[in-house]
Amino acid sequence: MKKLTVQISLMLIFSMFILPGCTELRFKDNTISDEQYNTTNISIASFNIKIFGKTKASNDTVMASLVEIVSKYDIIAIQEIKDINQEVPYEFLELLNNNTTTQYQMLLSERSGSQDDDKSSQEQYAILYNPELISVIDNGTLYNDSVNDSFQREPFLAHLSVKNTTLDFVLGVIHTKPAAAEEEISALIDVFNWSTEYYEDQDVMIVGDYNADCSYFDEEDIIDLEIGSEEFLWAIPNEADTNLAGSNCTYDRMVLTGGLKSNFNGTWGVDNTFSSSSISDHWPVWIELEIRID
């Protein structure tokens, strides 16, 4: 473990000199207001870590890379945790905190896929966050999908607050079933509406592997969705390539509503700084929020 710790530490020192991802674009016009106030920025990421289970956790090189990647962000929502014993998330959190100055904390969902016809594809979601910047209002819950059974893996939603600022918001994370991506993405309007009512907060963001492109979903149909209306902002645009395959597909998305649309300062990225599929077949996507200091 000492050898791995040294390896990770060197990688983190090097990573301080590079951007979180080399695909970055500012595409929203932020008009300067006459009102002056102090703001702070936070980074939020989403990462499908392909089949994140015991086999991957036993690979020291891969785990070192994951520590380097995750430690770039203030909040990161992780999908595809596949450890039936539910040990890997805690092992990774310990490794992360042993090799970074930030002492991250974690919100971990129950195993999603609770309906009988979904139990063969159960996964967990995790939200890792910097507690120096983020406080937790509610530890989170899986969306109750028992009535409509709209999702193979129910979304996980938590209520967060950015310390010393005016912002509380709901962060949701999902991994859709590829073959049912169109139906599940369409059904996310119910999750947004439920979250607004349950948490009594209009500011909701749902991130994750939407499978929202290529053979699974026609991205030109976004405009026809209820979550494709002007009330929602798709912060990762259609031109982004979020997977390591040769095809250019925007599978991974971050969709915002409420006041979060104004907090989004237009900066987004795809962290395509690795090319090994042993880490994942997806690249992390991330955005930056600009928040008024209270």
Side-chain angles (χ1 to χ4, degrees):
M1 181 59 73
K2 183 178 293 185
K3 180 179 178 181
L4 176 59
T5 300
V6 172
Q7 178 187 4
I8 295 174
S9 298
L10 290 173
M11 293 173 70
L12 289 173
I13 291 171
F14 176 75
S15 69
M16 292 173 64
F17 297 94
I18 61 175
L19 290 170
C22 58
T23 302
E24 184 174 326
L25 177 67
R26 182 177 294 270
F27 65 93
K28 191 176 79 169
D29 180 17
N30 293 312
T31 303
I32 298 175
S33 170
D34 291 336
E35 184 180 6
Q36 299 297 315
Y37 48 81
N38 294 324
T39 62
T40 187
N41 293 348
I42 65 165
S43 57
I44 304 177
S46 171
F47 191 13
N48 179 330
I49 303 177
K50 182 182 179 182
I51 313 178
F52 195 14
K54 287 290 188 183
T55 300
K56 181 161 290 185
S58 67
N59 187 321
D60 289 349
T61 301
V62 168
M63 292 295 276
S65 296
L66 289 174
V67 165
E68 179 190 1
I69 293 164
V70 168
S71 63
K72 298 174 184 177
Y73 306 104
D74 300 316
I75 306 172
I76 183 166
I78 294 173
Q79 306 101 60
E80 209 165 319
I81 300 172
K82 285 181 169 287
D83 176 19
I84 194 168
N85 296 319
Q86 304 185 40
E87 296 171 348
V88 166
Y90 296 101
E91 293 170 358
F92 178 70
L93 178 64
E94 182 179 6
L95 182 66
L96 176 67
N97 286 338
N98 285 342
N99 291 278
T100 58
T101 55
T102 299
Q103 295 300 289
Y104 285 86
Q105 293 183 10
M106 177 174 67
L107 300 176
L108 185 66
S109 77
E110 299 177 12
R111 287 172 63 79
S112 62
S114 58
Q115 308 302 315
D116 288 339
D117 59 339
D118 299 328
K119 289 185 177 179
S120 62
S121 299
Q122 288 188 317
E123 300 173 2
Q124 280 180 288
Y125 303 111
I127 297 174
L128 299 175
Y129 63 95
N130 180 351
E132 295 181 4
L133 301 175
I134 307 299
S135 59
V136 174
I137 302 172
D138 183 280
N139 288 333
T141 184
L142 288 175
Y143 174 72
N144 186 347
D145 193 33
S146 60
V147 176
N148 296 324
D149 194 12
S150 300
F151 303 99
Q152 183 179 50
R153 292 170 286 263
E154 305 92 339
F156 175 62
L157 302 114
H159 201 190
L160 307 177
S161 176
V162 182
K163 291 183 176 181
N164 303 315
T165 75
T166 56
L167 181 63
D168 302 339
F169 69 101
V170 178
L171 177 61
V173 53
I174 187 171
H175 179 197
T176 70
K177 180 181 180 179
E182 184 174 353
E183 293 81 4
E184 293 197 12
I185 294 169
S186 180
L188 282 175
I189 186 63
D190 297 329
V191 183
F192 275 102
N193 291 339
W194 175 86
S195 300
T196 297
E197 181 176 349
Y198 181 81
Y199 291 110
E200 298 182 347
D201 196 330
Q202 300 291 322
D203 300 334
V204 181
M205 176 190 316
I206 299 180
V207 307
D209 180 2
Y210 277 48
N211 284 300
D213 201 2
C214 293
S215 62
Y216 304 134
F217 179 81
D218 186 349
E219 61 187 16
E220 299 301 323
D221 291 341
I222 290 175
I223 194 172
D224 298 323
L225 300 173
E226 288 190 72
I227 64 168
S229 71
E230 292 183 355
E231 294 182 22
F232 298 88
L233 173 65
W234 290 58
I236 306 299
N238 291 343
E239 63 263 26
D241 183 7
T242 72
N243 78 114
L244 276 66
S247 56
N248 188 322
C249 298
T250 317
Y251 291 135
D252 303 270
R253 303 286 186 157
M254 306 181 77
V255 181
L256 295 64
T257 192
L260 289 173
K261 295 191 300 177
S262 298
N263 292 119
F264 176 50
N265 68 7
T267 303
W268 62 275
V270 179
D271 186 355
N272 52 12
T273 54
F274 64 89
S275 58
S276 173
S277 60
S278 62
I279 298 172
S280 182
D281 57 348
H282 288 251
W283 285 310
V285 295
W286 59 273
I287 64 171
E288 193 172 80
L289 299 183
E290 184 174 346
I291 308 158
R292 180 172 179 170
I293 296 175
D294 195 358

